């Protein structure tokens, strides 16, 4: 497989390096398998001979025209975490060539992939319309608002969808590169992960900070504050809406539009967040923690923790 990795001015250094390092490691470790897969030919391409990364390092690239013959185009993230600046960059003239490259690559039915803020470049080019995608969990509300034609799933670390693969925040580049290797050889992907000491991270859920997501809308932020004060009680959405001075229908609509989920599920996320914190920082029995986050039975919390974090209560306590 020929893989083109795009380097451009302002690219996220660790994202670019992670993609290259994992793929280089996979090539180096192929021989350890009884039936090694074919090697990957990886070329770093750019619109100029030398590009400057977000941290100011200079990367030498091959002409971007070499991406035309590639079997996969990888677009690392942009080194920008401020939502307004990110949108201005990916939609501005400085990214026009990248957007055009991504669109033309998909027009040839060549797969493309990106992670973190790079998913905004893919969305801005139009190749994510009608598809499922993920992005940095903390940018999901911004992404969802700007690209309503894309179905956002920020709980997953890697989301493939009809020739376009996206991955989560920052070091989701590692997961993305492993996913590329796994497409050809699951055994080699597992071997690379063990050598590089990479834990399996199927979900971003355990990293999400609910309060950060809620700040994207004043009504959602107020709901989050109110819900935290009542986590140890049964919560009725009618009571929440009345306390906020809005209708229950408005609360449902605003939370869904901002977070892509229901108010009930968001309250569950808050309960999981607090329960996980208590498991890591106290010796309280799970039964006591369950009552502190509004559940009468510990088994209800146990199931929810496993569903949302991918880990058992015992594993969370060990962390």
């Amino acid at each position: 497989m020929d893989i083109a990795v795009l380097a451009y001015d302002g690219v996220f250094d660790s994202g670019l390096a992670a993609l290259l390092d994992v793929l280089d490691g996979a090539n180096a470790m192929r021989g350890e398998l009884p039936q090694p897969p074919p090697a990957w030919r990886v070329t770093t391409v750019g619109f100029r001979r030398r590009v400057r990364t977000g941290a100011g390092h200079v990367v030498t690239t091959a002409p971007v025209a070499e991406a035309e013959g590639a079997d996969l185009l990888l677009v690392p993230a942009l080194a920008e975490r401020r939502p307004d600046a990110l949108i201005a960059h990916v939609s501005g003239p400085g990214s026009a060539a990248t957007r055009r490259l991504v669109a033309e690559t998909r027009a040839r039915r060549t797969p493309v992939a990106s992670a973190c803020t790079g998913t905004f470049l893919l969305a801005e080019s139009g190749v994510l319309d009608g598809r499922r995608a993920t992005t940095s969990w903390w940018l999901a509300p911004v992404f969802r608002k700007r690209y309503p034609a894309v179905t956002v799933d920020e709980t997953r670390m890697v989301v493939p969808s009809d020739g376009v693969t996206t991955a989560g925040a920052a070091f989701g580049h590692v997961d993305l590169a492993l996913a590329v290797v796994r497409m050809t050889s699951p055994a080699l992907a597992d071997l690379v992960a063990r050598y590089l000491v990479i834990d399996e991270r199927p979900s971003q859920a355990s990293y999400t900070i609910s309060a950060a997501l809620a700040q994207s809308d004043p009504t959602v932020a107020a709901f989050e504050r109110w819900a935290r004060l009542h986590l140890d009680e049964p919560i009725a959405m009618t009571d929440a809406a009345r306390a906020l001075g809005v209708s229950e229908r408005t609360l449902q609509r605003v939370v869904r539009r901002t977070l892509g989920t229901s108010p009930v599920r968001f309250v569950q996320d808050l309960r999981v967040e607090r329960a996980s914190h208590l498991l890591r920082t106290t010796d309280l029995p799970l039964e006591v923690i369950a009552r502190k986050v509004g559940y009468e039975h510990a088994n209800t919390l146990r199931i929810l923790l496993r569903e949302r974090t991918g880990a058992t209560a015992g594993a969370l306590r060990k962390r």
Side-chain angles (χ1 to χ4, degrees):
M1 178 183 286
D2 287 344
I3 299 177
V5 180
L6 180 66
Y8 55 91
D9 285 336
V11 69
F12 178 49
D13 294 64
S14 294
L16 174 62
L19 293 173
L20 296 174
D21 285 344
V22 171
L23 293 170
D24 182 67
N27 276 334
M29 298 174 200
R30 292 170 48 251
E32 298 189 27
L33 297 180
Q35 295 179 315
W40 288 268
R41 190 173 76 89
V42 183
T43 306
T44 303
V45 301
F47 298 104
R48 298 202 318 272
R49 180 62 176 166
R50 290 179 176 82
V51 300
R52 191 170 294 277
T53 69
H57 298 107
V58 176
V59 176
T60 302
T61 68
V64 76
E66 294 197 19
E68 293 181 10
D71 301 301
L72 171 66
L73 173 66
L74 292 177
V75 183
L78 174 72
E80 177 58 75
R81 68 185 312 275
R82 297 168 298 170
D84 290 347
L86 173 61
I87 295 298
H89 186 96
V90 300
S91 63
S95 294
T98 299
R99 298 194 303 270
R100 187 164 53 250
L101 173 65
V102 170
E104 291 173 351
T105 299
R106 279 306 297 148
R108 296 193 298 270
R109 303 192 66 79
T110 300
V112 299
S114 188
C116 192
T117 55
T119 59
F120 281 73
L121 284 166
L122 268 55
E124 200 70 32
S125 73
V127 304
L128 288 178
D129 288 355
R131 292 179 170 85
R132 299 185 66 83
T134 191
T135 188
S136 302
W137 64 262
W138 47 272
L139 289 170
V142 179
F143 191 102
R144 187 176 285 110
K145 181 178 180 179
R146 182 166 181 83
Y147 309 113
V150 185
T151 301
V152 183
D153 182 0
E154 71 270 32
T155 64
R156 296 172 64 186
M157 193 63 76
V158 179
V159 176
S161 183
D162 190 23
V164 184
T165 302
T166 51
F171 291 102
H173 288 85
V174 174
D175 303 84
L176 178 61
L178 281 176
V180 171
V181 176
R182 189 169 286 111
M183 291 174 190
T184 300
S185 175
L188 182 56
D190 291 341
L191 183 65
V192 172
R194 295 186 69 175
Y195 268 105
L196 299 183
V197 196
I198 302 170
D199 292 330
E200 183 180 7
R201 299 177 298 178
S203 171
Q204 296 189 83
S206 61
Y207 302 92
T208 300
I209 303 172
S210 299
L213 295 177
Q215 299 313 306
S216 300
D217 181 273
T219 299
V220 179
F223 174 56
E224 184 252 346
R225 291 191 296 270
W226 182 90
R228 285 188 185 278
L229 294 174
H230 298 82
L231 279 188
D232 59 345
E233 311 167 12
I235 291 180
M237 291 306 119
T238 51
D239 294 338
R242 188 181 305 112
L244 300 179
V246 299
S247 69
E248 186 176 354
R249 185 175 180 180
T250 296
L251 179 61
Q252 294 275 357
R253 185 179 68 251
V254 173
V255 172
R256 175 70 66 180
R257 183 188 64 210
T258 304
L259 304 180
T261 191
S262 67
V264 170
R265 190 173 177 89
F266 182 59
V267 170
Q268 290 175 339
D269 290 340
L270 294 176
R271 286 174 162 154
V272 165
E273 181 184 274
R274 180 172 293 181
S276 299
H277 175 73
L278 291 172
L279 283 167
R280 292 193 302 267
T281 60
T282 74
D283 293 324
L284 292 173
L286 187 63
E287 291 76 10
V288 174
I289 293 175
R291 289 193 292 273
K292 283 183 175 292
V293 297
Y295 294 115
E296 184 177 351
H297 302 293
N299 196 48
T300 304
L301 177 60
R302 186 178 288 111
I303 294 171
L304 189 62
L305 286 169
R306 187 60 181 265
E307 175 191 316
R308 299 296 170 84
T309 70
T312 64
L316 289 168
R317 171 146 277 166
K318 288 178 182 177
R319 292 178 186 175

